[in-house]
Structures are given as C-alpha cells and as structure tokens.
Amino acid sequence: MKIINFAEHPSLVSTFMRELRDVDIQKDMMRFRRNIERIGEVAAYEISKELHYEETETRTCLGVAKTQILSDRIVVGSILRAGLPLHQGLANAFDGAGNAFVSAYREYDNETDFHVKVEYLASPRIEGKVLILADPMLATGASMELAYHALLGKGTPKELHLVSVIASRQAIEYVRTHFPADTTLWVAAIDDTLNEHKYIVPGLGDAGDLAFGTKDD
C-alpha cells in the first residue's frame, strides 16, 4: 500500500487541519464542512496526477490546440454521513464521476465495544473504473473495509484510492492487511493513538456531529 501524508509537506492543508482540530473554530459547522471539502479538493488534484489521459484537439477562436483529457472512468464513494463534505470536495474536481454512498456506522454492544453495521448502498457499476473511497476519520479501518466490500457487489475497480482527513496508525496497519496491495491512501494527518472508545487522539472529535449537528440515538 502506498501512503501519501499531506502533513509531511506543510501546505494550505496544514491550515485547514488546524481549524478543523481547534475546539473553538470547529463550532462553526459551515466552516468545518468547508475545510473538509477543501481537503477533498486538494486530494482530488493530487490523485488526478496518478490517472490516465489521452490527447485530443480543441478548437479555439484562433486555431486548434492539443490538450489532454482524463480517460479513466471515476467513481467517488463515501461513507454516510460524515463522509459527505469530503465527498463533495472530491466531486467538485471529478465533476463527471459516478457517485456511490454506503451507510456504515458503529452499533455499540456496551459502553466501549461495538461492531460496524452496513445498511444502505447506492452505487453505479464500478467494474474496471477508478474507485475513490472517502471516510474522514480512519480510526480502526473496519468501516472502510466493510464499505469497500459492499461496493465490490457492483464490480471490481481497476484502481483503489482511499481518502481520509485523519488516520490512526492502527487503522493504517489494518488497511495494509485488508485491502489490495496496490491501494493508495491519501491522508491529511496521521495520529498515533486511539482511546478506549476507538476515537482518534488527538483527532478532532466526531466528524459527523461537527459537520451536521448531534443526533438522537
């Protein structure tokens, strides 16, 4: 597995991340969503450098220019609901892509133990396409794995890119052993620790609640 960690090279993503983590700034839900969306846009640009293109001719008002257009077929997938802002950022760039959505959430057995449950899937065929699968918080890796396996019911992608805002080191090791070897993970930050509830520390909290408000369980 190839890992691209944006934090290794400070950029505008570093500013977006600081605001996402800040307990005062993150109270602004619209700003929180937009910062995740912007990270998705950056990730999409970087992913686009790894894709395939074909040359074409484009007529201008003064002549004909040789240009490059994307030849890969793209599907952007995300895990509901926290993945929606990240999905939007990716879709802003890959505006011709198909879109897939998977509902994967934690169902707690007790205060600390849980299992991940998948209830909903809406996806185009992904056979032979480039699948970009987004989940902002890659804590254990289990949700990402279950979402991926659910999507395999729609075919096998020729390339797989995983996109997260923050990943734990535990999740990265999980992904290494549970996803195809040629998978690429794009992440804005890697944190070392999970707490007893399997939340990333220092992390930023519950991305879904911060983006869309708390829910009634």
Side-chain angles (χ1 to χ4, degrees), residues 38-187:
R38 291 196 288 186
I39 289 173
E41 291 167 348
V42 172
Y45 173 73
E46 295 298 329
I47 292 170
S48 75
K49 298 177 185 178
E50 307 295 318
L51 302 179
H52 300 92
Y53 296 80
E54 60 187 26
E55 188 175 272
T56 187
E57 291 186 344
T58 299
R59 183 169 298 280
T60 78
C61 59
L62 298 176
V64 176
K66 293 188 182 299
T67 54
Q68 300 286 328
I69 58 172
L70 185 66
S71 59
D72 287 319
R73 294 173 298 163
I74 312 295
V75 173
V76 176
S78 65
I79 299 175
L80 301 174
R81 64 179 170 153
L84 289 174
L86 193 55
H87 185 110
Q88 186 61 58
L90 292 161
N92 287 346
F94 295 114
D95 56 330
N99 294 272
F101 301 93
V102 182
S103 169
Y105 64 93
R106 296 180 177 190
E107 188 168 85
Y108 280 87
D109 306 310
N110 51 53
E111 286 190 2
T112 57
D113 298 320
F114 65 88
H115 60 278
V116 177
K117 192 170 183 179
V118 173
E119 283 191 341
Y120 173 83
L121 169 66
S123 172
R125 292 290 298 172
I126 63 172
E127 184 70 35
K129 299 178 183 178
V130 175
L131 174 62
I132 304 172
L133 184 55
D135 189 8
M137 305 302 287
L138 191 62
T140 67
S143 295
M144 190 78 90
E145 180 196 15
L146 287 176
Y148 173 62
H149 281 285
L151 287 166
L152 288 179
K154 302 296 183 179
T156 303
K158 72 170 186 176
E159 289 183 28
L160 176 61
H161 297 268
L162 307 179
V163 182
S164 290
V165 174
I166 304 177
S168 74
R169 296 201 180 277
Q170 177 179 319
I172 288 174
E173 291 310 309
Y174 187 91
V175 168
R176 284 188 195 278
T177 57
H178 290 79
F179 282 79
D182 58 352
T183 299
T184 302
L185 170 64
W186 305 80
V187 63

